Amino acid sequence: MRTEVAEAAAILARGGLVAIPTETVYGLAADARLEFAVRQIFALKGRPSNHPLIVHVDSLESARAWARSFSPLANRLAQAFWPGPLTLILPRSPLASDAVTGGQDTVGLRVPQHPLTLELLRALKTGLAAPSANRYGRISPTTAEHVRAEFGAALACVLDGGPCAVGVESTIVDVSTDQPRLLRPGGISKEALEAVAQQAIPHVTHATDLRVPGQVQSHYAPTAGLLLLDESALAAEATQRLAQGQRVAVLAREGLAVAQGATSFTVPADAEGFARVLYATLRLADASGAEVILASLPAAEGAGLAVRDRLLRAAAPRPR
Ligand code: TXA
Ligand code: MG
């Protein structure tokens, strides 16, 4: 076993917290069986304690212990997409405590695709409860440096697995009932899910029976204001705001001309590429000292659905 993995395993085994790399974003992990450890996650994040956490496991076989049952559809999706950026909501087994599930009768499960975290999970032989490793409501981290910037000395161990390959969180599908529903678009596209499911999986944006921070309207937010515009309107808006003396950053697709004087951040034209750099770019735009970030939405297909969802939430009015 790699030394840094052994160190992380030792901390987790005695109830400590470790930031773990995954293919989506970094997670803030605790042994999911240790309630006192799980409660520390909520304290460090500043997250309401009734918000459920995802349990990360090393395989479908390990996942079975955390759920009362896997429907045929759940089995099919798990076989097709694990390890990978898919979280399945299933009826919980007694292993999944109220601390993890927020008192709901379901549990979120996923097998992440990252060699370091898979090695850690195999060594520990338990599930790791882990939300994204950011303070509540803020931008999710896609590098170890982001996690350190977020928590500093309050978090002793960050397992550095490099930059995340997907860049946005996992897709969440509720398969705990007969009617599957997409609760959060993410790293696996709706099209890919439906192809395997061979049925429609509707995107439910306001599930009234759930407490889901991913469904809290304002989320994933930079410090600067975020304004979403049609691509053709970006340059004119930037020019006007610059004339008013504002500090403006623009997220611009490769090849797009932006207003002179605006700080511009180039993002890949394809939605998958945009997803990969989205959070890091919002952080850079914040760090540039911009008061306002201008961006436009990709088309609502493939990885574009997740990017749109995160941008719309980041731009939503914020509670004060
Ligand atoms: O990609 C990811 O999913 C990352 C990495 C670290 O795995 N994790 C992540 O965790 O995004 P978090 O806590 O930031 O978001 C998890 C989402 C929340 O919206 C939570 O409400 C939902 O999963 N969730 C977890 N368990 C649930 C359950 N039993 N029922 C409904 N939603 C659930
Ligand atoms: Mg999160």
Side-chain angles (χ1 to χ4, degrees):
M1 204 194 311
R2 283 172 260 220
T3 12
E4 68 269 32
V5 173
E7 276 164 24
I11 293 171
L12 289 162
R14 56 173 189 264
L17 303 185
V18 171
I20 55 166
T22 83
E23 77 282 36
T24 59
V25 301
Y26 276 72
L28 181 62
D31 184 332
R33 294 169 311 184
L34 305 177
E35 286 202 37
F36 74 94
V38 172
R39 294 197 193 284
Q40 288 181 54
I41 295 177
F42 292 93
L44 187 56
K45 268 192 74 114
R47 174 167 168 155
S49 61
N50 62 352
H51 285 182
L53 302 177
I54 295 169
V55 177
H56 300 71
V57 289
D58 68 0
S59 62
L60 173 54
E61 290 60 50
S62 304
R64 294 194 191 285
W66 294 86
R68 286 199 300 282
S69 58
F70 269 69
S71 66
L73 175 61
N75 273 312
R76 232 170 332 127
L77 292 175
Q79 269 153 6
F81 297 112
W82 283 353
L86 175 68
T87 295
L88 295 176
I89 307 297
L90 291 154
R92 70 163 160 179
S93 81
L95 253 192
S97 68
D98 285 343
V100 169
T101 68
Q104 308 195 60
D105 192 38
T106 53
V107 63
L109 297 173
R110 123 171 163 90
V111 180
Q113 182 155 46
H114 193 289
L116 283 186
T117 293
L118 283 172
E119 187 179 336
L120 178 64
L121 286 166
R122 285 181 196 123
L124 283 166
K125 298 186 173 56
T126 180
L128 288 177
S132 51
N134 52 280
R135 295 195 190 264
Y136 183 62
R138 312 287 311 166
I139 303 173
S140 303
T142 53
T143 67
E145 290 70 41
H146 294 163
V147 181
R148 291 190 200 104
E150 200 76 22
F151 297 114
L155 181 64
C157 183
V158 180
L159 194 54
D160 190 344
C164 301
V166 173
V168 293
E169 295 82 350
S170 61
T171 301
I172 304 182
V173 181
D174 180 5
V175 282
S176 66
T177 69
D178 294 342
Q179 179 51 64
R181 20 179 217 174
L182 175 63
L183 297 182
R184 178 177 74 182
I188 300 285
S189 73
K190 187 169 186 286
E191 295 88 337
L193 282 173
E194 290 178 335
V196 169
Q198 293 185 303
Q199 69 182 103
I201 304 186
H203 181 193
V204 178
T205 47
H206 292 92
T208 50
D209 56 332
L210 292 174
R211 289 179 298 256
V212 184
Q215 294 198 329
V216 173
Q217 212 189 11
S218 167
H219 213 73
Y220 315 103
T223 305
L226 176 64
L227 189 63
L228 301 174
L229 297 164
D230 202 77
E231 201 176 72
S232 60
L234 284 175
E237 182 75 26
T239 304
Q240 196 189 337
R241 286 174 178 268
L242 287 163
Q244 291 164 2
Q246 286 189 28
R247 292 189 302 277
V248 179
V250 182
L251 264 54
R253 186 173 51 79
E254 264 156 349
L256 193 82
V258 291
Q260 232 188 3
T263 312
S264 108
F265 296 92
T266 305
V267 295
D270 67 297
E272 261 178 49
F274 195 171
R276 191 173 305 123
V277 303
L278 173 65
Y279 291 143
T281 307
L282 288 176
R283 279 174 190 267
L284 286 175
D286 254 352
S288 77
E291 294 157 271
V292 61
I293 304 169
L294 307 181
S296 46
L297 296 170
E301 59 189 25
L305 207 59
V307 174
R308 288 172 72 94
D309 173 79
R310 305 308 188 272
L311 281 174
L312 286 166
R313 288 177 203 285
R318 299 166 195 176
R320 286 141 58 76

